[in-house]
């Protein structure tokens, strides 16, 4: 985990060979939220991208480096004091040239907060 104690995994459920649902809790007391933004904490987008990468690494048991992003849509603000529990739906596939493609939807409750497509290169 790049940011120590930033989130806690509650569960990872494998629906089929490519689809996973992850539930996690954001640590609202983490240092990140003291600067982003004091009195009105908001989850930094780059932190969400890092969480998706780390979850993909855990699921694929591979060290990854981001190669590209597409269709990045931040649709709702995530305030860890109001909605600390997130559900991430991950569709993970491997391309013919051995890249890992991820389609992600991140939600809190019924609200979609993020939609993101990413491609990673394997390091191991």
């Amino acid at each position: 985990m790049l940011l120590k104690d930033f989130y806690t995994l509650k569960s990872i459920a494998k629906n089929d060979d490519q689809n996973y649902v992850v539930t996690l809790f954001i640590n609202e007391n983490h240092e990140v939220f003291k600067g982003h933004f004091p009195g009105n904490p908001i989850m930094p987008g780059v932190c969400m991208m890092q969480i998706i990468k780390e979850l993909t690494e855990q699921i694929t048991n591979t060290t990854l480096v981001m190669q590209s992003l597409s269709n990045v849509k931040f649709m709702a603000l995530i305030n860890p004091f109001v909605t600390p529990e997130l559900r991430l739906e991950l569709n993970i596939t491997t391309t013919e040239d051995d890249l890992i493609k991820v389609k992600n939807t991140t939600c809190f409750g019924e609200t979609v907060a993020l939609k993101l497509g990413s491609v990673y290169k394997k390091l191991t």
Side-chain angles (χ1 to χ4, degrees), residues 24-26 28 43 77-86 107-109 111 113:
L24 57 83
F25 291 95
I26 301 299
E28 68 270 7
M43 170 73 79
L77 298 175
I78 300 170
N79 179 328
F81 285 93
V82 177
T83 54
E85 183 175 339
L86 300 179
C107 304
F108 53 86
T111 302

Side-chain angles (χ1 to χ4, degrees), residues 12-119:
I12 298 178
K14 183 176 182 178
N15 292 342
D16 57 41
D17 286 344
Q18 298 176 339
N19 294 294
Y20 299 82
V21 176
V22 178
T23 303
L24 57 83
F25 291 95
I26 301 299
N27 176 4
E28 68 270 7
N29 296 313
H30 195 276
E31 291 291 317
V32 163
F33 299 113
K34 292 178 182 171
H36 202 267
F37 298 93
N40 187 26
I42 297 171
M43 170 73 79
V46 68
C47 291
M48 282 307 308
M49 290 186 280
Q50 181 65 28
I51 290 171
I52 293 164
K53 176 184 172 279
E54 289 175 4
L55 293 173
T56 303
E57 287 177 324
Q58 183 172 343
I59 289 167
T60 62
N61 197 30
T62 308
T63 302
L64 302 170
V65 62
M66 186 180 295
Q67 186 170 31
S68 65
L69 294 172
S70 62
N71 297 321
V72 180
K73 296 178 184 173
F74 293 98
M75 303 168 77
L77 298 175
I78 300 170
N79 179 328
F81 285 93
V82 177
T83 54
E85 183 175 339
L86 300 179
R87 184 181 77 251
L88 292 87
E89 299 170 3
L90 303 168
N91 174 276
I92 302 172
T93 57
T94 303
T95 66
E96 291 178 7
D97 48 353
D98 212 29
L99 299 173
I100 303 290
K101 288 181 76 172
V102 179
K103 292 179 186 173
N104 165 259
T105 302
T106 299
C107 304
F108 53 86
E110 297 302 315
T111 302
V112 176
L114 169 65
K115 288 189 175 192
L116 172 115
S118 49
V119 178

